[in-house]
Amino acid sequence: MPSPELSTMLVVLDLVGIFVFSVTGALVAVRKHLDLFAATVLAGVTGLGGGFIRDVLIGATPPAALADWRYLLVPATAGLLTFVFHPTVGRLERVVTLFDAFGLALFCVTGALKAVDYGLGPLPAALMGMVTGIGGGVIRDVLAGRVPVIFEGVLYATPALAGAAVAVVLDRADLSLLVVAAAGFGTCLGWRLLALVRGWQAPMPRGPANV
Amino acid sequence: MPSPELSTMLVVLDLVGIFVFSVTGALVAVRKHLDLFAATVLAGVTGLGGGFIRDVLIGATPPAALADWRYLLVPATAGLLTFVFHPTVGRLERVVTLFDAFGLALFCVTGALKAVDYGLGPLPAALMGMVTGIGGGVIRDVLAGRVPVIFEGVLYATPALAGAAVAVVLDRADLSLLVVAAAGFGTCLGWRLLALVRGWQAPMPRGPANV
Amino acid sequence: MPSPELSTMLVVLDLVGIFVFSVTGALVAVRKHLDLFAATVLAGVTGLGGGFIRDVLIGATPPAALADWRYLLVPATAGLLTFVFHPTVGRLERVVTLFDAFGLALFCVTGALKAVDYGLGPLPAALMGMVTGIGGGVIRDVLAGRVPVIFEGVLYATPALAGAAVAVVLDRADLSLLVVAAAGFGTCLGWRLLALVRGWQAPMPRGPANV
């Protein structure tokens, strides 16, 4: 049972992660010259979509975000602020990317551990952790009419899968929740930041396209 | 408990709404020069998709439309008729848009009240009402390979959210179901029709695109 | 109760079907010059997506593929092999299409019978069978940024619906499971292969596009 302080901290971290994901969603809407409503919806699906997919697949319905109004207010606020201040937010892109890596590392761990709680085995649970981290961005890109950016060489999903796998494996070793979460979080965040700094890419197909 | 007459009327209204939504789905297929099967599928997802998303998220599975064959026959018929008579249906676009507003107003109210029935709070329930109204059209547009029209300045989702919110708030005030539904329905329909007549648009981002 | 030999055979057939579907997903990724991760994800959603949609809609969560690691390993392997050997796999396109028809015939039957098991009526169950067969390919195409190929005149979904319908109807006639499955399987496979050989197409709209 986590202490009350830890629980509060987890909710705050969760809301921060949702906020940053939501900002990336609203930025895509503004850049596609979509309207205020699209900015809010893309903020919402980016911030909450990964968790929704996970919860629907593991049978944890209604998703937590539909049972707690704060989880709806945060993306709405992020969408509105981004829509209004988008030139400034756009200039802060590097900061947004940094926080986005933080959100990814957080969600892959919390998503995987929730799947374990619902009785999934290690491999599916790690997969659900990755889905929690990347799902929102994939829905965002599909709704905005573009191929998901995570499919085009960006090293984004692999760190999420790795972080989720580390959390799942350590969780079975009967370590404290904090150690489990920190190890998974650190794995994902470290790998993602290294990929950003060094420009690492996922392997591309050999040879010309359209073979 | 609604009277048998009211229940019958609600089912009829529901089927009419599904029919009109389905026609818009089939029209998109025909205009993209897709085949008969695509027309039927796009009819089906447009007519039933919003309710499917709501039911999956609130845990009301299988969705009602999978438990009553009339809910499947209506979109199939709408898709087939539209496919065969599409030049005529295309000329009736203004009539289709009018009935579509009627379907939107109906679904945002029934969707929100169903979410309340399943224990959701006011804010998530209003959101589920909006999702019921707009979800089918969003799936239609994604499957047809275009950015959802509701993201491009058309004032469509905001009236649905407003109508759903009115219904949810009045429902807590212990009014009769008919008053609750009528107020929510009227709010959405009135706003949507005014937006159509006056050419109201959702706010667009300031400044040039791609900032 | 199926015999142990039959059960084993069914799992093997299922995995073979998932493997071939997954190969088509990974081929789309390679042809769009997407990265290794995209190839694996598109393999996974193509192989498992139809079953996921069915399971979520009929309330059978978590889906079977999340409870048995073999169901995750098969698409991952298919994606990786296709990514590495894609020039060879691309030349085998006709073989892939043949096996894909086999997978379609298998999934429409197993999907429909599972829906019947979960209490759906004949029409919705047949529809769920079709969705099991075609759903993965539709998600694949949407994620890859193209209009689903089954919408553009290819005769693919109709055989799946027919095979599912045959299985559902015969299942109500109290025949042995093997007869039921074989009849549905044969209906779908025969129709699909005939369509391939003879170049049959689904009906297209009359008149010019964009009327």
Side-chain angles (χ1 to χ4, degrees):
Chain A
M1 206 62 195
S3 66
E5 289 79 19
L6 181 59
S7 294
T8 307
M9 197 186 73
L10 278 177
V11 170
V12 170
L13 285 176
D14 215 19
L15 292 176
V16 171
I18 291 170
F19 186 88
V20 184
F21 272 31
S22 301
V23 167
T24 73
L27 271 180
V28 169
V30 169
R31 278 169 186 170
K32 286 239 161 191
H33 214 68
L34 303 177
D35 67 27
L36 172 59
F37 170 75
T40 315
V41 167
L42 289 184
V45 298
T46 313
L48 306 172
F52 276 22
I53 300 178
R54 176 204 59 214
D55 286 347
V56 164
L57 284 177
I58 67 178
T61 53
L66 292 182
D68 182 341
W69 57 269
R70 290 174 301 182
Y71 282 82
L72 297 178
L73 212 62
V74 164
T77 308
L80 190 63
L81 290 177
T82 306
F83 187 83
V84 174
F85 299 111
H86 69 92
T88 310
V89 177
R91 276 196 298 275
L92 296 174
E93 182 113 41
R94 295 171 73 96
V95 181
V96 172
T97 304
L98 192 72
F99 275 95
D100 182 82
F102 163 86
L104 182 72
L106 186 69
F107 289 154
C108 73
V109 170
T110 57
L113 294 180
K114 180 162 185 181
V116 169
D117 261 2
Y118 274 77
L120 268 68
L123 188 59
L127 198 71
M128 287 298 104
M130 185 188 77
V131 165
T132 310
I134 70 173
V138 170
I139 304 180
R140 170 198 68 204
D141 291 341
V142 166
L143 288 182
R146 65 183 200 188
V147 171
V149 290
I150 58 163
F151 284 176
E152 305 193 288
V154 178
L155 209 66
Y156 190 87
T158 321
L161 185 58
V166 165
V168 167
V169 169
L170 292 184
D171 182 61
R172 292 168 74 90
D174 211 19
L175 296 168
S176 90
L177 183 61
L178 200 63
V179 172
V180 168
F185 182 88
T187 303
C188 175
L189 186 65
W191 191 343
R192 173 74 185 128
L193 291 183
L194 270 172
L196 277 172
V197 170
R198 305 227 171 149
W200 286 345
Q201 292 230 324
M204 304 295 289
R206 287 174 306 143
N210 305 310
V211 175
Chain B
M1 207 63 193
S3 67
E5 290 79 18
L6 182 59
S7 295
T8 307
M9 195 186 75
L10 279 177
V11 169
V12 171
L13 284 176
D14 214 19
L15 293 175
V16 171
I18 291 170
F19 186 88
V20 184
F21 271 30
S22 301
V23 168
T24 72
L27 272 180
V28 169
V30 170
R31 281 173 183 166
K32 286 237 160 192
H33 214 69
L34 303 176
D35 67 27
L36 172 59
F37 169 74
T40 316
V41 167
L42 289 184
V45 297
T46 312
L48 306 172
F52 276 23
I53 299 179
R54 177 203 58 213
D55 287 347
V56 164
L57 284 177
I58 67 177
T61 52
L66 293 181
D68 182 342
W69 57 269
R70 290 175 299 182
Y71 282 83
L72 297 177
L73 213 62
V74 164
T77 310
L80 191 62
L81 290 178
T82 306
F83 187 82
V84 175
F85 299 111
H86 69 92
T88 311
V89 177
R91 275 196 298 276
L92 295 174
E93 181 113 42
R94 295 171 72 97
V95 180
V96 172
T97 304
L98 192 72
F99 275 96
D100 182 82
F102 163 87
L104 182 72
L106 187 70
F107 289 154
C108 73
V109 170
T110 57
L113 295 180
K114 180 162 185 182
V116 169
D117 261 2
Y118 273 76
L120 267 69
L123 189 58
L127 198 71
M128 286 299 103
M130 185 188 76
V131 165
T132 309
I134 70 173
V138 169
I139 304 180
R140 171 198 67 203
D141 292 341
V142 166
L143 289 181
R146 66 183 199 188
V147 171
V149 289
I150 58 161
F151 284 177
E152 306 194 287
V154 177
L155 209 65
Y156 191 87
T158 322
L161 184 58
V166 165
V168 167
V169 168
L170 292 184
D171 183 59
R172 292 168 74 89
D174 212 18
L175 295 169
S176 90
L177 183 60
L178 199 64
V179 172
V180 168
F185 182 88
T187 302
C188 175
L189 186 65
W191 192 342
R192 174 73 184 128
L193 291 184
L194 269 173
L196 278 171
V197 171
R198 306 230 169 147
W200 286 344
Q201 293 229 324
M204 304 295 288
R206 286 175 306 143
N210 304 309
V211 175
Chain C
M1 206 62 194
S3 66
E5 289 79 17
L6 181 60
S7 295
T8 307
M9 196 187 73
L10 278 177
V11 169
V12 170
L13 284 176
D14 214 19
L15 292 176
V16 171
I18 292 170
F19 186 88
V20 185
F21 272 30
S22 301
V23 168
T24 73
L27 271 180
V28 169
V30 170
R31 279 168 186 172
K32 286 239 160 190
H33 214 70
L34 302 177
D35 66 28
L36 172 58
F37 169 75
T40 315
V41 167
L42 288 184
V45 297
T46 312
L48 305 173
F52 276 22
I53 299 179
R54 177 204 58 214
D55 287 346
V56 164
L57 284 177
I58 67 177
T61 53
L66 292 181
D68 182 340
W69 58 269
R70 290 174 300 183
Y71 282 82
L72 297 177
L73 213 62
V74 164
T77 310
L80 190 62
L81 290 177
T82 306
F83 187 83
V84 174
F85 300 111
H86 69 92
T88 311
V89 177
R91 276 195 299 276
L92 296 174
E93 181 113 41
R94 294 170 73 95
V95 181
V96 172
T97 303
L98 192 71
F99 275 95
D100 182 81
F102 163 86
L104 182 71
L106 185 71
F107 289 154
C108 73
V109 170
T110 56
L113 295 180
K114 178 160 185 183
V116 169
D117 261 1
Y118 273 77
L120 267 68
L123 188 58
L127 197 71
M128 286 299 102
M130 184 189 77
V131 166
T132 309
I134 70 173
V138 170
I139 304 180
R140 170 198 68 204
D141 292 341
V142 166
L143 288 181
R146 66 184 199 187
V147 171
V149 289
I150 58 161
F151 284 176
E152 305 193 288
V154 178
L155 210 64
Y156 191 87
T158 321
L161 184 59
V166 165
V168 167
V169 168
L170 293 183
D171 182 60
R172 293 168 73 90
D174 212 20
L175 296 167
S176 90
L177 183 61
L178 200 63
V179 172
V180 168
F185 181 88
T187 303
C188 175
L189 186 65
W191 192 343
R192 174 74 185 127
L193 291 183
L194 270 173
L196 278 172
V197 171
R198 306 228 169 148
W200 287 343
Q201 293 230 323
M204 304 295 288
R206 288 173 306 143
N210 304 311
V211 175

